[in-house]
Amino acid sequence: MPTRATELLRVVHARPGVTRADAARLIGVGTGATTELVGRLGQAELLAEGPTAPSGARGRPTTALIPHPRGPLIAAASITHESWRVDVVELGGSILATAGEELAGRGGDEVVAALGAAVRRLRHEYGDRIRGIGIAVPGTVSRDLMLDASNLGWHDVDLAAAWPRAEIFVAGNDATLAASAESRRGMAVGAAVALHLRIEAGLGGAVVDGGKVLIGALGAAGEFGHMPFGDPAVRCPCGAYGCWGTAVDGSALARLLGHEPPRDLITYARRIITSPEPEPAAAAATVATALGRGIAGLVNGLDADLVTLGGLGVDLLAAAPEQLLTAYEAGLMSFRRAAPPPVVPALLGDDGPIAGAAEEAWTALLTRLV
C-alpha cells in the first residue's frame, strides 16, 4: 500500500508543476496535511516549490511542486537498429543530459559496453543522484536481462553489463515501452484499451488495458509482427513464414520494387515512403493496405478503442492514409464501422521507447524513496 508521500511524488511525476492545492485534492488529503508532506519531502531533497506560470489573475501567487534540485535521477536508454542513446531524467520526465552514437555495425555486446561507458560518465557527473536505469531494446528481454534481437542478429546479449550493480535495472521491448509511455504521457491517456504498434525493422506493439501494459506469461506479449498476416512464402528472421512484420517494413518495400534487401531497412523505407515517384508510391500504398488489414484483425480480437502508430507506421499513415484506413475499416466487423476506433500517430514519436524506459524505472524507484 503506497504511503501518502509516495502518492504525492507520483502525482508530481505525472503532473509536473501541479499546485499544492491540486495535489492535495488528487491524493485525497487536506491542504494542511499536504503542506506537512511537502515539507518532509523537501527536507529529504525529493520535492521543492517554485513559481507557477503567470496567469494574469490578481491575488497571492501560487506555487508549483517541482523536483528538488538535488533530488534523485534515473538513466533512461534506448537501443534502436540505427543508434543508442542514454538520457538523465528527473522526477516529472524532464531530460537533464543526453549521450549517444550510431551503431556503426557493432555487435550487441560492443553496443552495451559503449552505452555502459556513457552511463559511467553520467554517474561521475551526477554522482549518487542517479539511482537506476531503464533500457528499451528492439527485441525480447529475458528475466535475467538477456537480449535477443533477431533482426540485428544479436542473441544472448547481457544488458546488465551496462550497469552491473544498479539499484534499479529494468529493460523491455521498445514497442512495449513506447505503448506504456503513450498511455501515461501521450495520445492514449484515458483510453480504456489502447493498441500501440511500432514498425522499424519488423513490427511490435502492446496492449494497454486500463493503463496497465499486458506483458504475457513470459513477458514477451506484443509480438504482433509475428502473427501470420503476411505472405506465407516469405521467411521471417525469426524462422517462421508469413509474419505480418515482413509485409509492412522496409523488406516488404524492397521485394515489391525488386530491390536487394537494404542494410538499413528504416532509412531505406523512409526514403521509399516519401518518394513522389509512382512506383515507390504504389509500393507504399500496398504496404499501408497490409498494415490496415492487420490492424483491423487486432481491433476485432482485442476490442481496442484507440490505435496509436509509431516508427514507420506514422510515415505510412501520412503517405497513404486512404489505402491504410480503407483497408482498416473494410476489415472491421460490421458493428464497429459506424464509429471505428481511431488510428492516430503516437504523440511521443521516436522518443516513445526511451520515455517508456524512464517511466518504468521511475515507477520502480518511487516505491523506494519514502
Side-chain angles (χ1 to χ4, degrees):
M1 189 77 175
T3 67
R4 292 297 192 193
T6 301
E7 290 179 359
L8 180 56
L9 288 172
R10 287 176 176 171
V11 166
V12 176
H13 182 62
R15 304 184 181 201
V18 65
T19 65
R20 190 190 302 175
D22 285 341
R25 177 178 52 81
L26 289 166
I27 65 174
V29 300
T31 54
T34 303
T35 298
E36 182 183 346
L37 281 174
V38 171
R40 283 171 44 205
L41 293 172
Q43 289 177 351
E45 298 188 342
L46 296 174
L47 278 188
E49 293 188 87
T52 59
S55 64
R58 294 183 178 181
R60 185 177 179 180
T62 58
T63 58
L65 300 181
I66 59 176
H68 196 283
R70 294 185 297 278
L73 305 168
I74 282 292
S78 68
I79 299 173
T80 72
H81 292 85
E82 303 161 303
S83 62
W84 64 264
R85 169 180 149 196
V86 59
D87 294 342
V88 175
V89 184
E90 69 178 353
L91 186 76
S94 293
I95 297 170
L96 303 185
T98 190
E101 60 187 5
E102 299 297 310
L103 296 192
R106 287 176 290 184
D109 292 329
E110 293 176 286
V111 170
V112 171
L115 191 155
V119 170
R120 288 192 297 275
R121 290 193 297 271
L122 291 168
R123 288 171 59 205
H124 178 74
E125 180 178 352
Y126 288 92
D128 292 340
R129 291 180 64 194
I130 301 181
R131 299 281 296 274
I133 186 169
I135 302 181
V137 294
T140 57
V141 182
S142 67
R143 287 192 172 93
D144 57 353
L145 298 175
M146 302 299 288
L147 166 65
D148 187 274
S150 57
N151 283 318
L152 283 169
W154 296 358
H155 303 284
D156 296 325
V157 176
D158 185 7
L159 293 174
W163 187 350
R165 288 175 292 280
E167 176 184 352
I168 290 167
F169 198 124
V170 295
N173 174 265
D174 52 5
T176 302
L177 291 172
S180 174
E182 282 296 318
S183 73
R184 300 184 192 190
R185 299 187 185 273
M187 292 297 296
V189 172
V193 179
L195 169 65
H196 180 73
L197 298 172
R198 180 176 177 81
I199 305 172
E200 285 198 330
L203 181 150
V207 178
V208 184
D209 185 358
K212 181 177 177 59
V213 178
L214 304 182
I215 63 172
L218 300 176
E223 294 290 342
F224 299 124
H226 300 290
M227 299 181 75
F229 293 171
D231 184 344
V234 176
R235 189 173 190 269
C236 178
C238 78
Y241 287 83
C243 288
W244 186 27
T246 64
V248 297
D249 67 0
S251 69
L253 292 166
R255 283 194 307 276
L256 288 166
L257 293 168
H259 296 169
E260 289 295 317
R263 182 167 183 172
D264 183 345
L265 285 171
I266 301 166
T267 301
Y268 168 83
R270 287 206 159 111
R271 178 169 59 81
I272 296 299
I273 291 168
T274 57
S275 172
E277 298 300 318
E279 280 192 273
T286 299
V287 168
T289 298
L291 177 59
R293 287 180 56 79
I295 293 172
L298 290 176
V299 168
N300 288 337
L302 297 169
D303 196 22
D305 61 338
L306 177 71
V307 181
T308 56
L309 299 179
L312 295 174
V314 176
D315 300 80
L316 288 168
L317 182 60
E322 182 178 353
Q323 292 87 346
L324 193 158
L325 295 175
T326 298
Y328 165 59
E329 293 181 17
L332 290 174
M333 299 167 69
S334 58
F335 80 91
R336 300 185 190 278
R337 292 180 193 157
V343 178
V344 298
L347 180 66
L348 299 174
D350 289 339
D351 287 335
I354 197 168
E359 289 298 313
E360 293 301 314
W362 264 110
T363 297
L365 179 58
L366 286 172
T367 64
R368 304 186 185 197
L369 289 177
V370 289

